[in-house]
Amino acid sequence: MNTEELKIKLTELLPAAAYEEGGQWLTINIEPAKWLAFAKQLRNDISLNFDFLFCVTCIDWKTHLTMVYHLTSTTHRHNIVVKAKLNFTTPEIASVTSIWKTADFHERENYEMFGVNFLNHPDLRLLILPDGWEGKNPMRKDFEDEVNMIKL
C-alpha cells in the first residue's frame, strides 16, 4: 500500500483524523480518547497489520504534551506515525500494552520522564529512575534540577 492508499484506508477508519504533510512517513493526529480503538484497528485490520510498535515518545511543548507512536507492518512493509495531543497538567492516554507488548517499557519510561498516565497499564511504575523520583518528571521543560541548576 502506498502512502495515498494508506491515507484513504486510515480515513475510512477514523474520518476525524488530521494528517501532517511533508514527513518521511505518513503522520496522523488523533484525539487521545480515540487512541485505543484506533490502535486495535491498526493492529487487527488485515490490510494494515501494524504488528510492530517500535517507538513511543513524548514531546513537551510547554503548553501541552504530544505522544508519538511509530508503527510498522512487518508483512506489508508500511510505516505510520500517530500523534496525540495531551493536556499539560493531567496528561493521560490509554495504554496499548494489550495490543503491542513492546509498549510496556516505552509507556513506563514516558510515565516517569514526562508524567503521562497510561490508563489501564498493567504495571505503571518507575523503570529507570530510583525510588523517590515518582512525579518529578525530569524530561519536562518545567523540571528544575536543584543540584545541577539546570533551567530551561
Side-chain angles (χ1 to χ4, degrees):
M1 207 179 287
N2 67 32
T3 302
E4 281 307 310
E5 292 169 334
L6 195 54
K7 193 174 183 179
I8 291 167
K9 177 65 177 176
L10 295 173
T11 302
E12 288 173 7
L13 297 176
L14 193 64
Y19 297 91
E20 292 181 14
E21 301 296 330
Q24 178 182 359
W25 294 329
L26 181 62
T27 301
I28 182 170
N29 292 291
I30 66 165
E31 293 295 321
K34 307 266 188 204
W35 173 228
L36 185 60
F38 186 58
K40 287 177 184 176
Q41 291 175 310
L42 294 174
R43 175 63 193 248
N44 297 328
D45 187 303
I46 294 170
S47 66
L48 297 172
N49 193 31
F50 283 103
D51 56 348
F52 185 38
L53 172 67
F54 63 92
C55 184
V56 178
T57 192
C58 186
I59 303 169
D60 181 349
W61 298 101
K62 291 190 177 182
T63 57
H64 66 277
L65 301 177
T66 300
M67 287 305 306
V68 183
Y69 299 84
H70 288 81
L71 299 152
T72 193
S73 169
T74 58
T75 54
H76 301 302
R77 301 286 186 218
H78 48 237
N79 303 294
I80 62 167
V81 177
V82 180
K83 295 182 178 181
K85 182 178 175 180
L86 306 181
N87 181 297
F88 188 78
T89 54
T90 55
E92 61 183 26
I93 192 165
S95 173
V96 289
T97 56
S98 63
I99 302 167
W100 297 286
K101 294 297 178 198
T102 53
D104 186 7
F105 283 7
H106 288 288
E107 290 178 353
R108 284 179 58 191
E109 181 182 16
N110 282 286
Y111 163 72
E112 72 181 344
M113 296 296 173
F114 291 94
V116 177
N117 181 24
F118 292 92
L119 304 172
N120 299 313
H121 189 283
D123 188 22
L124 197 58
R125 60 186 167 96
L126 296 184
L127 176 67
I128 302 165
L129 297 173
D131 290 339
W133 275 78
E134 290 84 356
K136 293 187 180 178
N137 315 123
M139 293 298 289
R140 291 195 49 167
K141 291 182 178 172
D142 60 354
F143 175 74
E144 292 185 23
D145 184 348
E146 296 172 8
V147 175
N148 296 311
M149 296 183 284
I150 296 170
K151 193 169 194 164
L152 296 176

